Structure formats: structure tokens, C-alpha cells
Amino acid sequence: KNVFVDILADSIPEVTETIVGVINNASSGTISSGATAASLLDDDQSVWSVAVALSTLVTIDESAGSKLPFLLSRSGDYSTAATIDFMTAGGTATAGVDYTPISQNLSFGAGETQKLVWVDILPDAVAESNDAVSVIIRNASSGTIVTGAVSQTILDNDQSVWSVASI
């Protein structure tokens, strides 16, 4: 049997809340799982996330001019201006060697829901393994961060050159 719980809307900014459902005192049989919980995200404040900008593009070649796109989004209440920090956070890639590090505070105007941030890839001529660049968001001026980190892979385009010669 399904039990539905109506959620009452309000306009009060609140922290994420948890609702718990419990069953007990079965008239017959055994209760194998007697409780469950669900989180209620407040839609009266901004809900922030960062993602790979193009879901089909999670890797990119290290060629000159290549950039990794990341998409910052906010949903919920976006009727007022807000700010959030965006920064590269390593991964297996090395800042200053594999990519140009970024640390910036982004301003979202009232009604603005998305920003695209590009991380420059630094090309080299060294054959190496693929590297991941991680980014994080933090310090939202309002709201809750639900997805605060994501990574993309830089594909190495440098190949070892092999040859054979008689001696």
C-alpha cells in the first residue's frame, strides 16, 4: 500500500527538513523495514549546483585553446541577487601545468539562474596519462549547495614515438 504525505507550501526560508515514515504493530507477518526518510528541500531559497556543462562532454583533448566548461545553476528562489565562490580544486591534474587554476566569486543577478565558467587547459608535449580537473562551489550568500563538486577529464594527446632500426 502506498501512503502519500502532502507537503504544505510556505514562503519561509528554512533549512532542509526530513520527514520520517514508520510502520509498526503488524496484525500478521513480519515487518522487514519499519522506517524510511525523505528530505524536503526548501524552495524558498536558492538551491545551488555545479555540473559538467555538456553532459555528452566529460572529457576534452589537451590541444591548444581547449577549455573545460562547467555550469553553475541555482533553482528555488532566485528573485534576489546572490553570490557564490567557484574554484578549481585539483583532481589528478596539476594546476599551472595541466590547466590554469581559477578562484573567483560569481555574482548572480535577480532572476539569473545559470553561469558558464571555462577552465583553460594548458597543452604540453609530454606523453602522460589522462588527468581529471575538479572544481568546487562554496560560500553561497544564500541558499543550499546540493552538488558542490564535479570533475572533467583532460585527454592526453601526446603519443610516444617508437621506431625500429637495424644495428
Side-chain angles (χ1 to χ4, degrees):
K1 183 144 188 116
N2 292 323
V3 175
F4 296 93
V5 176
D6 291 328
I7 307 301
L8 301 177
D10 63 32
S11 59
I12 302 167
E14 306 162 292
V15 297
T16 299
E17 299 170 310
T18 302
I19 186 168
V20 178
V22 178
I23 58 172
N24 56 25
N25 298 326
S27 61
S28 66
T30 302
I31 298 173
S32 64
S33 177
T36 189
S39 294
L40 303 176
L41 294 177
D42 185 21
D43 64 353
D44 302 313
Q45 59 183 339
S46 295
V47 177
W48 298 89
S49 64
V50 61
V52 173
L54 304 169
S55 61
T56 58
L57 180 66
V58 292
T59 59
I60 193 159
D61 189 286
E62 72 173 355
S63 301
S66 292
K67 298 175 183 284
L68 296 170
F70 294 94
L71 184 66
L72 278 76
S73 300
R74 70 174 177 159
S75 58
D77 181 8
Y78 45 83
S79 62
T80 60
T83 62
I84 193 162
D85 293 338
F86 173 93
M87 65 195 61
T88 50
T92 57
T94 303
V97 175
D98 297 310
Y99 66 93
T100 302
I102 294 177
S103 179
Q104 56 189 309
N105 181 269
L106 300 173
S107 296
F108 281 68
E112 189 175 12
T113 61
Q114 295 183 329
K115 283 197 183 287
L116 191 60
V117 178
W118 297 90
V119 175
D120 291 330
I121 295 174
L122 300 175
D124 61 32
V126 178
E128 58 189 340
S129 61
N130 298 334
D131 288 314
V133 175
S134 298
V135 300
I136 60 172
I137 56 174
R138 65 181 185 182
N139 299 328
S141 62
S142 67
T144 302
I145 297 172
V146 293
T147 306
V150 69
S151 296
Q152 285 196 70
T153 301
I154 302 171
L155 293 177
D156 182 54
N157 65 353
D158 305 305
Q159 299 297 316
S160 299
V161 178
W162 298 88
S163 63
V164 66
S166 61
I167 46 175

